Amino acid sequence: MTPLPPPLPTKEQIALLPLFEGLEFDRIRTVDDDDAAAQALARLLGEPVLGFDTESRPTFVRDEVSDGPHVVQFATLDQAWLFRLRTPGCRQAVSALLAAKDLIKAGFGLENDRTQLMRSLGGPLHGLLDLDAVLRRQGHRKAVGVKTAVALLFGQRFVKSKKVGTSNWSQPELTEAQQRYAANDAYAALRVYQALQAADPTHPLAEGAPAAQPEAPDSHSHDDGDPLQVVQTTPLLRIFDPERALAFYCGFLGFRLDWEHRFDDTAPRYLQVSRGGCVLHLTEHHGDCSPAATVFVRCRGLRAYHRTIAAQRYPFMRPSIESAPWGDDLMTVTDPFGNRIRFAQDTREADAAEAAAAARGRRAAARMQTGVGAA
């Protein structure tokens, strides 16, 4: 028998919880011109997952159709961008983010947002993940909004002002209260997504949503009717000292810390780090896995990556690229806890890539020389 999910907290129980801390005001950016939109788009397209929501000016007449959304917000763990759909550049940037197939946009109650966005911007819309639907599939019979989800997963109270939520989102300038409201709706959604992923890395995505990491360059997708369709594989590596782990993975290998989870201040830590589509979970929990594991990572750009990390002259390791018997360039690194990562690239592919890069360099040098001579 499938176990029942934990009961949802009541309004009275939520009111007694400690406050959920959202983004500080200096972490919120309002995007209302084409230059700012282009900069924000370049920054956000590199993310695997964003918190997402929209805001619209309320309607007051029966059967009146909203002309929103007026604000579309996206959030990372450290910043939020509030796009005001007033200029062509802002609209194009939001359309590009919504169309990106490899970018998950996670939010709550997105059906109405989807309808308004289709009416306002057209399509396509890819990667929208309704967290309410995810929680409902876990067995909750009632709708689970952001306030209830934050209370359920974090034991904290997420404050949403009805007055601010129903304010005029089309006015010339957004108030500070409006900016905080919009930004933290998206930020809280991202935090909930990450908590769900930490609890169960295989939790189902919404229909049409992509995996959080791209398919390996040389892998093959076979849709042959098999009911199992893998969307992401994430290795777990046992660690004993998160600070030493971060110094190795982020400081030396150049991964980034995506998020960290612990049940309380004394509990073991669980972290996600990623770089270039490689996602790893680092866990202090003794029951998750054993130390001294090996992860095989097929990649591109290995030689350039090796040059980058070799230039750091990391005192505890100087990895080299070796020739594997099966015809790959192979670089092995070992973390402070005995876990090994083997980065591999087909040698012929690497040779071709370096030859193409050298040819581009020669052509660029020739163009510069011609320009100097003409001057």
Side-chain angles (χ1 to χ4, degrees), residues 197 200 233 241 307 325 355:
Q197 187 182 56
D200 179 6
T233 300
D241 184 336
R307 290 191 290 269

Side-chain angles (χ1 to χ4, degrees), residues 183 340 359 363:
R340 293 174 296 274
R363 288 194 296 270

